[in-house]
Amino acid sequence: MLTAPLCRCICGARKGDLDPGKGLSEHDIFSEVAEDVSFHQSQHTGLLLYLDSADQPLRGVPIREGPLFLLSAEEEVQITLSLHINGLAFNHRGREVSVSLSPFSLVRNCKFQNSDLGGAELADFKCFKVSLFTLNICFYFGVRSKDDREAEDDRSQWVHHISRAMRLVTQSLFPPHRIACDPVGSMGSTHRRLMAGYLLHSDGGSVASVLYCELHPQSSDGTAKLVLYENELCEEHVVDVYITERSCCSEKVGIDCACFSVEDHLFSSRTLPERRLWLRAISNLKVKLQNRAPSPTQEELVHYRIAIQEHIRTSGKGFATHSYEPMDALLKRYAVQVPTAGFLPEMLNDKPGEFYAATGYGSDVPPDGTGSNSWKEKQAQASDEGIPVEAVQAAEVSQATCERSAEAADKAGGPPAGPQAEPKAEPKPDDCKGELTS
């Protein structure tokens, strides 16, 4: 007898700048539309790395331009915002400000608890935020009009167009692929696969990697795991992310935002439906772990795979029984010599942008500040102490993420950014004005 397709996601816990009081359904306004195109099998090998910084050149001519108000704790400044295919640009007091979008960014409507802003009435504005949360950059924009309905429509159009640009940047980084459930015959490590597909992974230090992620079911030791490979050949293992009944899985709340986290690892899927599938599958495993379910037999694994494939087939749009057409990546490639298979690249140093330091808009981009011993020294030490090198790598990534988050919090005077932070309020224009989603 076949199992039910997939249980409803019950992860619930939220980290970082998530809003615990709001569900995704309130923000999930614009649906995905899948076009029928032929499938192109990915041909890439090796590790795909991209530079995920906000200072990359904007491409082409603006796809939308219009007047908006740039909001901060002290003032509101009228600007002309230009939206490009991969970023935003505006002029602030004679200074040209350019911000390239990231796959780890979001846009959503917002409002504030207090209605005044340096003498201005916030109630006069229809506000929205653009957040590049891994870079600790956040802009608040406002639309003002005598006609309330006209202002609401204008805001909706801006949010819709920006979210589409973010989605295009994200999808441009993915190799063509389908979500796979069947194991790779020649690779024994894939024989316990439930589902697998490419995800973007935030490596910190303004670097994003494209990793092939494979979900494995619960085992006799009381854990499930997400296995990360360099690509779909599954020959080069990167790291294992272990899942327990207490593991924290969370989603970023934004219009068509495809970002989610599993413990201290931040991912972005190709589409919103694919994110839902990953989180539901992980949630299903957590339920089995909570109920001390035994490790599934091969026959049960076949049933689970059929259930996932059926879910993909019946869900239709947003899933790939086909693949999206290959396109040029909208982020710069980052080339690095990876010292040993099983280790993510070392973090880059990211310098604060002059604009964010000179004005009250956004936040300082946190420097990496992580000095560490070489990977060979860490491997040697781990071997002497009988510690698996994967555990050392996972601890290094987690420690670097936490240190970078704490440093950013000290500078910004607010909560740490990223999936490793405890649930707190999102960044505010100042200490007195709390933001609410709308």
Side-chain angles (χ1 to χ4, degrees), residues 239-288:
V239 71
D240 291 339
V241 180
Y242 286 93
I243 300 168
T244 70
E245 60 182 281
R246 295 181 178 273
S247 293
C248 185
C249 305
S250 58
E251 59 191 19
K252 291 288 183 181
V253 181
I255 302 297
D256 275 348
C257 179
C259 299
F260 66 98
S261 64
V262 180
E263 296 292 32
D264 291 331
H265 294 266
L266 178 60
F267 299 97
S268 179
S269 62
R270 182 170 50 183
T271 65
L272 183 59
E274 287 187 7
R275 181 186 76 171
R276 292 193 185 117
L277 176 62
W278 282 104
L279 285 178
R280 287 184 180 183
I282 293 171
S283 177
N284 199 11
L285 291 178
K286 288 178 62 179
V287 171
K288 293 182 182 298

Side-chain angles (χ1 to χ4, degrees), residues 71 73 176 184 186 211 215 226 237 251 261 277 279 297 369 410:
L71 308 176
V184 179
S186 60
L211 299 177
L215 187 61
L226 194 61
H237 174 261
E251 59 191 19
S261 64
L277 176 62
L279 285 178
T297 64
D410 291 339

Side-chain angles (χ1 to χ4, degrees), residues 53-310:
S53 60
D55 58 355
Q56 301 187 39
L58 301 187
R59 301 197 182 186
V61 298
I63 57 178
R64 180 183 172 93
E65 286 184 307
L68 286 173
F69 285 88
L70 181 64
L71 308 176
S72 74
E74 294 79 20
E75 60 181 355
E76 80 283 355
V77 178
Q78 189 165 15
I79 62 170
T80 297
L81 184 66
S82 300
L83 173 63
H84 293 251
I85 195 172
N86 68 322
L88 309 170
F90 57 89
N91 189 285
H92 178 262
R93 303 191 185 283
R95 183 193 296 242
E96 187 67 26
V97 180
S98 172
V99 181
S100 55
L101 295 174
S102 161
F104 303 104
S105 57
L106 62 85
V107 58
R108 75 182 193 204
N109 298 342
C110 62
K111 59 184 178 181
F112 302 89
Q113 293 176 343
N114 292 343
S115 61
D116 64 316
L117 173 66
E121 287 292 330
L122 281 175
D124 296 340
F125 295 95
K126 297 296 182 181
C127 303
F128 65 94
K129 66 182 287 185
V130 176
S131 173
L132 284 70
F133 43 86
T134 56
L135 302 177
N136 200 30
I137 296 175
C138 183
F139 292 102
Y140 292 87
F141 297 102
V143 178
R144 185 161 64 184
S145 174
K146 293 181 180 179
D147 187 335
D148 193 63
R149 182 180 293 273
E150 181 181 341
E152 183 65 52
D153 289 344
D154 195 22
R155 176 176 69 171
S156 295
Q157 288 297 316
W158 273 111
V159 168
H160 174 54
H161 284 99
I162 293 172
S163 70
R164 289 190 60 152
M166 290 177 174
R167 188 166 70 237
L168 187 59
V169 169
T170 299
Q171 292 177 355
S172 75
L173 308 181
F174 280 86
H177 76 286
R178 297 185 180 98
I179 296 290
C181 295
D182 295 327
V184 179
S186 60
M187 301 303 297
S189 61
T190 69
H191 289 175
R192 301 285 290 174
R193 170 187 294 182
L194 289 176
M195 59 177 286
Y198 281 104
L199 292 173
L200 299 179
H201 181 274
S202 177
D203 298 346
S206 299
V207 177
S209 55
V210 184
L211 299 177
Y212 196 71
C213 303
E214 180 178 78
L215 187 61
H216 286 213
Q218 74 279 7
S219 60
S220 57
D221 65 355
T223 64
K225 65 180 178 179
L226 194 61
V227 184
L228 278 52
Y229 299 99
E230 286 190 357
N231 52 56
E232 70 266 32
L233 301 177
C234 301
E235 295 175 347
E236 296 296 337
H237 174 261
V238 177
V239 71
D240 291 339
V241 180
Y242 286 93
I243 300 168
T244 70
E245 60 182 281
R246 295 181 178 273
S247 293
C248 185
C249 305
S250 58
E251 59 191 19
K252 291 288 183 181
V253 181
I255 302 297
D256 275 348
C257 179
C259 299
F260 66 98
S261 64
V262 180
E263 296 292 32
D264 291 331
H265 294 266
L266 178 60
F267 299 97
S268 179
S269 62
R270 182 170 50 183
T271 65
L272 183 59
E274 287 187 7
R275 181 186 76 171
R276 292 193 185 117
L277 176 62
W278 282 104
L279 285 178
R280 287 184 180 183
I282 293 171
S283 177
N284 199 11
L285 291 178
K286 288 178 62 179
V287 171
K288 293 182 182 298
L289 291 170
Q290 290 166 0
N291 288 280
R292 305 295 188 269
S295 181
T297 64
Q298 285 299 320
E299 182 180 359
E300 289 172 329
L301 279 177
V302 171
H303 291 167
Y304 295 161
R305 291 167 184 153
I306 292 174
I308 294 172
Q309 291 168 337
E310 179 67 14

Side-chain angles (χ1 to χ4, degrees), residues 289-359:
L289 291 170
Q290 290 166 0
N291 288 280
R292 305 295 188 269
S295 181
T297 64
Q298 285 299 320
E299 182 180 359
E300 289 172 329
L301 279 177
V302 171
H303 291 167
Y304 295 161
R305 291 167 184 153
I306 292 174
I308 294 172
Q309 291 168 337
E310 179 67 14
H311 175 83
I312 293 172
R313 187 187 66 80
T314 58
S315 295
K317 58 186 180 181
F319 278 105
T321 51
H322 62 271
S323 169
Y324 291 90
E325 288 281 5
M327 62 180 76
D328 291 336
L330 294 177
L331 292 181
K332 293 180 180 179
R333 285 287 298 272
Y334 173 62
V336 65
Q337 292 291 333
V338 181
T340 304
F343 287 91
L344 297 177
E346 294 193 36
M347 312 299 182
L348 292 177
N349 289 323
D350 195 15
K351 298 180 180 179
E354 292 182 1
F355 172 76
Y356 312 111
T359 71

